[in-house]
Amino acid sequence: MIQFDRHRRLRTTPALRDLVRENRVTRDDLIMPVFIVEDLKGKREISSMPGVYQFGLDTILSEIKAITELGIKAIILFGLPSHKDDVGTGAWADDGIVQQATRKIKAAYPDLIIIADTCLCEYTSTGHCGVVDENGYVLNDESLKLIVKTAVSQTKAGADIIAPSNAMDGFVAAIRQGLDEAGFVNTPIMSYAVKYASSFYGPFRDAANSAPEFGDRKSYQMDPANRLDALREVASDEKEGADMVMVKPSMAFGDIMRDVREQTLLPLVAYNVSGEYSMVKAAAANGWIDEAKIVDEILTGMKRAGADLIITYFAKDVAARLVK
């Protein structure tokens, strides 16, 4: 008789498959992105992201209620101001839209973890993530000063975690020093350590009204073709004081997540970005795929690649299925 291994023995029933399953997505893994708009009343669906909405201050608590009732413990907050200028003043204003929303949410839901996206692109008239010189170049060190002011202002308003996404060199070190000097030594930094200049961000730029007015972000975000660059970025951010590191986007960068997982002992965050969300939604709307099964497979793949946490626009949908 032919001798061979019988791997199928552990796949014969659903219960047995569940028993030996190596990776699972839980509600504790999920972070829901939330868009808050300064001059909006009610809520408004984002046309390129079906099922995802922008909220005004008058409706934000209803969304937070829905999120918390599903057992999701963390959100990441993005703000759309009513006014923009060349230095993104609204990003660090005490009455900025993220600051207002944070105080409002914390008063009603003190146990919810609020992660503040810390960047200038939603607030600058150029749409870039920093200060731009007369030649259209985004200045690194000058931008860091404003990023630090933003991080401190967001933390004063009640943000639990600062998540800098500006992709400037030295941003973790600058923010860590700024937070410490302001007395916020216990505020963690979730660094967008590996942020590629990706085409998967298109729908987000509709949602956050943050597309660059000119040029692109390739002089500060990473080339998607580069692997070792990602590992250098993570090493720098870890040395500068990051408490968590992120890989963004996620679906096309599972190899990078695995590389980062093997390099760092810090918690690893995957960002399942807007373009990844919208592609699944479009295919599901056409009846080409089973959305729930595809989403579960995608997010499980991120866990398998090494992610501890997942920022995803599918968070509410997945949490609702996990409750049942």
Side-chain angles (χ1 to χ4, degrees):
M1 181 177 177
I2 300 173
Q3 298 295 315
F4 53 85
D5 296 328
R6 293 191 179 274
H7 302 288
R8 292 178 56 188
R9 289 182 184 130
L10 299 181
R11 304 171 191 159
T12 53
T13 68
L16 192 52
R17 291 192 294 272
D18 284 345
L19 186 67
V20 299
R21 190 169 197 184
E22 298 174 29
N23 294 281
R24 287 181 172 82
V25 177
T26 74
R27 285 174 288 169
D28 291 341
D29 301 327
L30 302 173
I31 300 169
M32 181 69 194
V34 175
F35 296 96
I36 183 76
V37 182
E38 190 163 17
D39 56 0
L40 177 65
K41 299 295 184 184
K43 66 179 185 178
R44 177 170 59 211
E45 189 171 25
I46 300 161
S47 61
S48 57
M49 300 178 69
V52 178
Y53 293 82
Q54 299 167 329
F55 294 89
L57 282 169
D58 60 331
T59 55
I60 188 62
L61 291 185
S62 63
E63 173 66 359
I64 300 303
K65 182 176 186 290
I67 289 170
T68 57
E69 287 180 347
L70 288 168
I72 297 171
K73 298 176 181 177
I75 65 169
I76 183 166
L77 193 56
F78 299 93
L80 284 74
S82 58
H83 168 74
K84 301 188 178 194
D85 56 41
D86 58 351
V87 293
T89 306
W92 68 82
D94 287 340
D95 61 349
I97 183 57
V98 164
Q99 289 80 354
Q100 291 184 62
T102 298
R103 286 191 288 267
K104 189 179 184 76
I105 294 167
K106 272 294 176 184
Y109 296 91
D111 294 330
L112 178 70
I113 296 171
I114 298 179
I115 304 164
D117 178 76
T118 306
C119 195
L120 302 180
C121 61
E122 296 102 324
Y123 304 90
T124 57
S125 51
T126 64
H128 279 286
C129 301
V131 180
V132 179
D133 69 12
E134 63 274 9
N135 298 314
Y137 185 76
V138 177
L139 300 171
N140 194 91
D141 296 9
E142 290 81 354
S143 299
L144 288 181
K145 299 173 185 176
L146 305 183
I147 293 296
V148 171
K149 291 175 67 174
T150 301
V152 171
S153 176
Q154 291 171 334
T155 308
K156 284 181 178 177
D160 299 288
I161 298 173
I162 292 299
S165 60
N166 55 93
M168 298 294 110
D169 288 338
F171 67 98
V172 173
I175 290 172
R176 185 71 273 157
Q177 180 177 332
L179 290 174
D180 290 354
E181 290 177 352
F184 299 117
V185 296
N186 291 321
T187 299
I189 297 174
M190 177 190 288
S191 172
Y192 285 65
V194 180
K195 185 176 182 180
Y196 285 99
S198 172
S199 298
F200 282 103
Y201 303 150
F204 175 88
R205 291 172 183 171
D206 293 337
N209 190 24
S210 63
E213 289 295 313
F214 57 87
D216 53 41
R217 294 177 176 143
K218 293 181 179 179
S219 71
Y220 45 103
Q221 294 179 2
M222 293 169 46
D223 185 340
N226 290 351
R227 169 180 171 265
L228 297 180
D229 196 9
L231 301 182
R232 289 193 294 269
E233 289 278 4
V234 170
S236 292
D237 287 4
E238 186 166 356
K239 180 176 63 177
E240 291 174 15
D243 300 282
M244 311 177 195
V245 292
M246 183 191 302
V247 174
K248 178 185 180 185
S250 297
M251 279 175 57
F253 297 89
D255 60 321
I256 303 300
M257 276 194 287
R258 172 48 55 188
D259 286 339
V260 172
R261 175 73 289 155
E262 292 177 354
Q263 174 174 300
T264 185
L265 297 178
L266 296 179
L268 175 58
V269 184
Y271 198 144
N272 179 210
V273 300
S274 60
E276 298 167 345
Y277 173 89
S278 296
M279 289 192 304
V280 171
K281 282 290 185 181
N286 279 285
W288 298 336
I289 60 172
D290 182 315
E291 179 181 323
K293 291 180 179 178
I294 288 288
V295 170
D296 289 347
E297 191 170 331
I298 289 169
L299 299 191
T300 300
M302 294 173 190
K303 291 285 290 185
R304 188 180 65 246
D308 298 295
L309 302 170
I310 303 173
I311 301 172
T312 177
Y313 302 94
F314 291 113
K316 289 170 65 180
D317 295 343
V318 173
R321 292 198 293 275
L322 291 172
V323 168
K324 296 177 182 178

